[in-house]
Amino acid sequence: MINKKKNILCSLLTLLLMSSCSWLEVSPSNEVNADDMYSNGDGYRNALNGLYLQLSGSTLYGKNLSWGFIEVLGQQYLTEKMKTTDIYAKAASYKYDDADVKSVISSLWTESYNAIAGCNKLISMVSEADPDLFVENEMEKGLIWGEALALRALFHFDVLRMFAPSMEVDDGEIHIPYVDSYPVISTTYYSNADILKKIETDLLKAQKLIAKCDVEKHPVWMETGYRMFGKGLADELPEEVFFAFRGFRMNYYAVTALLARVYIWEKEYKKAFDCADEVTKAYNNEPLFGFTETLSNDMKDCANVIFSVSSETLLDDYKPFVTSGNDNLFLFTAEDIYEGSSEDRRGKAWISNLGSLQYSKKYLLEESETGYDVIPVLRLSEMYYIMAEYYAQEGNFTEAGKMLDQVRSARGLISSSSGFSSIEDFRARLLKEMRKEFVGEGQLYFQYKRFNDKSLSEKVKFVFDLPENEDI
């Protein structure tokens, strides 16, 4: 089996070049000429892999934007099981003015814009590169270019979701910069609407560039075995490890799913539906994405994962927070989340007891177990939720319920979703369904924010303060 560790470790050079930079520049602090990296195709590959390494680091999706800081803000864990003086307890109370909490928020800003600078450098170089530099010529050039554009959009979108109000309460004011050039001479802050249009532009262009590989030439690489495990027919496996494990890259369907997430945030419901629908109907010889019935054997449900990051230290990072005796236990009441259902396969597979309370086993997999390093970022489930919301906005609550039931029935629930009395009633049900599905994946806080739903907590704050070191 192809080992994706090779795909990650080769990016260390890029990370070293980027680690001591300001949030707007990627110029190395030593005498190494960064442009030497781009003298051949391997340099471009390494630069791109370095961006994924940053994305999967503990500051972003390796912890803070998945099972850690952002999940705490979503009130998934019981605050009373956290030491009151610890950062997580303070974050759960939305004490954004606390020094420790400020530090985490500042690191989210800095790391995101540092990575954006890396995207811009790569985009500026690959857009002008000779296709003959690359092993797969025009297709590989387009793939690297498209993935870098998609990552730039993802980083900006996450910054927007943290540091600007949702469109539900949009004030039309400017909030964050959209940085799309290298080197940066000046930086302009934009409104929500303008940032979202720039994100859309990047993603639509990325779609076209990446489609040549994932849709036109090598659709088989998007099937679950190839996409998540690097397994398949020998004559259909990529000859180069760089092209393997498309589920850990901004593949065509990941870009499309991200577009759906962006459009639903923007309240462009029909556009969101169309993108989500395309993902749910993606076929090669079989559906590219689906649901597994045996969650106990595949805790992450890898067939359901459209895009994920890889963290090979995940077990060591996560385990202390669900171990008895730790000052900060990430515990919850499973009956509250899963509404006392004995049918729900998620509650059976993902939950373990610690005394009278429970914790998630989702990130306690040993290296020998399926998906041990996977942290999901985009799932098929979310696409059905997005389509359900479109129908609900249209007043078609019957079809909205059917979309929710696509996920519910796949998770073992027999009862159907019906009888919504209003859009508010639907939203409340949707949030309950998302809470069940996205345990430890950092989605819940953003969903409550999207609806400006204050039932999350009476203290909830949906906009992070801009960091004090925010120098433009």
Side-chain angles (χ1 to χ4, degrees):
M1 185 180 88
I2 299 173
N3 187 346
K4 69 175 173 288
K5 290 181 183 177
K6 296 178 182 177
N7 202 21
I8 298 296
L9 292 177
C10 67
S11 61
L12 288 176
L13 172 61
T14 301
L15 186 64
L16 290 172
L17 287 174
M18 300 174 74
S19 62
S20 61
C21 310
S22 75
W23 70 277
L24 285 179
E25 296 183 59
V26 188
S27 303
S29 58
N30 55 29
E31 295 302 316
V32 176
N33 183 355
D35 289 346
D36 289 345
M37 290 181 61
Y38 300 103
S39 61
N40 57 60
D42 284 344
Y44 289 88
R45 293 181 178 186
N46 288 348
L48 181 61
N49 290 341
L51 298 173
Y52 286 108
L53 197 61
Q54 284 189 280
L55 185 68
S56 64
S58 62
T59 299
L60 300 177
Y61 280 94
K63 181 178 180 181
N64 282 343
L65 291 183
S66 54
W67 54 268
F69 184 79
I70 209 75
E71 192 78 338
V72 169
L73 297 183
Q75 303 296 319
Q76 193 74 293
Y77 309 122
L78 296 172
T79 308
E80 58 263 34
K81 293 301 176 181
M82 302 174 188
K83 189 176 179 181
T84 56
T85 57
D86 189 83
I87 182 175
Y88 295 113
K90 291 183 283 190
S93 295
Y94 306 101
K95 295 179 179 178
Y96 295 162
D97 57 348
D98 176 82
D100 292 332
V101 177
K102 277 184 177 181
S103 178
V104 173
I105 291 175
S106 179
S107 70
L108 288 165
W109 174 280
T110 302
E111 188 73 5
S112 296
Y113 278 108
N114 197 337
I116 287 167
C119 292
N120 289 334
K121 173 65 173 176
L122 177 54
I123 291 166
S124 71
M125 298 301 294
V126 73
S127 62
E128 302 295 330
D130 185 340
D132 290 340
L133 285 175
F134 306 94
V135 173
E136 292 294 333
N137 306 110
E138 196 68 53
M139 186 196 81
E140 183 175 347
K141 173 183 174 175
L143 195 67
I144 293 171
W145 188 358
E147 287 186 39
L149 284 167
L151 286 171
R152 181 169 77 184
L154 174 62
F155 286 124
H156 276 108
F157 184 55
D158 282 338
V159 173
L160 185 77
R161 292 199 295 175
M162 291 183 282
F163 291 93
S166 72
M167 296 303 287
E168 191 77 9
V169 292
D170 182 41
D171 54 10
E173 299 295 322
I174 59 174
H175 293 287
I176 69 166
Y178 199 92
V179 186
D180 56 5
S181 61
Y182 184 92
V184 174
I185 299 173
S186 62
T187 304
T188 305
Y189 279 60
Y190 294 95
S191 67
N192 265 327
D194 288 340
I195 291 284
L196 288 166
K197 290 303 179 187
K198 288 177 178 293
I199 290 170
E200 178 187 9
T201 298
D202 274 352
L203 290 175
L204 290 173
K205 185 170 184 177
Q207 258 190 328
K208 292 179 181 179
L209 290 165
I210 297 171
K212 293 177 182 177
C213 175
D214 292 343
V215 179
E216 298 171 19
K217 293 192 70 173
H218 300 290
V220 69
W221 293 351
M222 288 305 305
E223 293 177 7
T224 300
Y226 298 84
R227 181 179 82 250
M228 300 304 297
F229 308 121
K231 294 179 179 179
L233 297 175
D235 61 347
E236 292 181 336
L237 285 169
E239 293 182 6
E240 302 267 348
V241 69
F242 177 76
F243 298 105
F245 298 98
R246 298 291 300 147
F248 295 86
R249 314 296 291 253
M250 288 301 293
N251 61 73
Y252 174 84
Y253 296 101
V255 175
T256 306
L258 181 56
L259 262 171
R261 181 183 284 181
V262 169
Y263 284 138
I264 206 73
W265 187 273
E266 195 177 6
K267 304 177 79 170
E268 290 279 1
Y269 300 106
K270 183 58 167 65
K271 289 182 178 181
F273 176 92
D274 290 342
C275 290
D277 190 46
E278 180 179 359
V279 176
T280 65
K281 293 177 179 176
Y283 277 75
N284 187 32
N285 296 319
E286 58 185 26
L288 297 182
F289 311 99
F291 296 88
T292 182
E293 293 186 8
T294 55
L295 285 173
S296 57
N297 296 329
D298 181 4
M299 198 79 70
K300 312 290 178 64
D301 191 2
C302 290
N304 196 258
V305 174
I306 303 167
F307 171 60
S308 66
V309 298
S310 169
S311 172
E312 299 199 6
T313 64
L314 178 56
L315 176 62
D316 293 335
D317 293 340
Y318 178 72
K319 193 172 183 179
F321 294 95
V322 292
T323 302
S324 181
N326 190 286
D327 284 334
N328 297 286
L329 294 175
F330 286 172
L331 302 181
F332 43 69
T333 304
E335 185 172 352
D336 180 36
I337 296 176
Y338 293 107
E339 301 179 287
S341 172
S342 60
E343 304 169 352
D344 201 313
R345 296 186 182 119
R346 294 165 295 194
K348 294 177 182 178
W350 292 346
I351 305 302
S352 271
N353 292 323
L354 187 64
S356 62
L357 298 173
Q358 291 78 41
Y359 62 87
S360 171
K361 298 188 292 186
K362 193 181 284 189
Y363 297 130
L364 292 178
L365 304 179
E366 299 290 342
E367 188 170 347
S368 60
E369 297 180 88
T370 300
Y372 78 97
D373 63 331
V374 170
I375 300 179
V377 177
L378 288 159
R379 281 192 178 277
L380 178 67
S381 318
E382 185 179 349
M383 300 301 102
Y384 283 111
Y385 295 149
I386 286 171
M387 290 193 292
E389 191 171 342
Y390 162 74
Y391 283 124
Q393 287 293 146
E394 293 292 300
N396 190 342
F397 293 121
T398 299
E399 287 301 315
K402 288 179 181 178
M403 292 297 101
L404 295 186
D405 286 343
Q406 290 286 335
V407 183
R408 287 174 56 82
S409 62
R411 299 310 189 199
L413 295 170
I414 300 171
S415 58
S416 63
S417 301
S418 59
F420 302 114
S421 59
S422 64
I423 188 65
E424 291 77 20
D425 184 30
F426 166 80
R427 285 178 171 183
R429 181 73 254 177
L430 177 63
L431 287 169
K432 287 182 178 180
E433 295 301 321
M434 288 178 165
R435 190 180 183 199
K436 299 172 188 176
E437 183 74 2
F438 297 136
V439 169
E441 296 182 14
Q443 287 294 314
L444 203 57
Y445 173 76
F446 291 127
Q447 300 305 327
Y448 277 94
K449 174 173 180 171
R450 190 162 63 83
F451 297 140
N452 196 40
D453 189 326
K454 300 295 182 65
S455 64
L456 185 66
S457 167
E458 62 181 18
K459 300 177 181 178
V460 67
K461 294 181 182 178
F462 285 133
V463 180
F464 292 0
D465 297 329
L466 292 178
E468 293 172 357
N469 63 346
E470 171 234 355
D471 295 325
I472 307 302

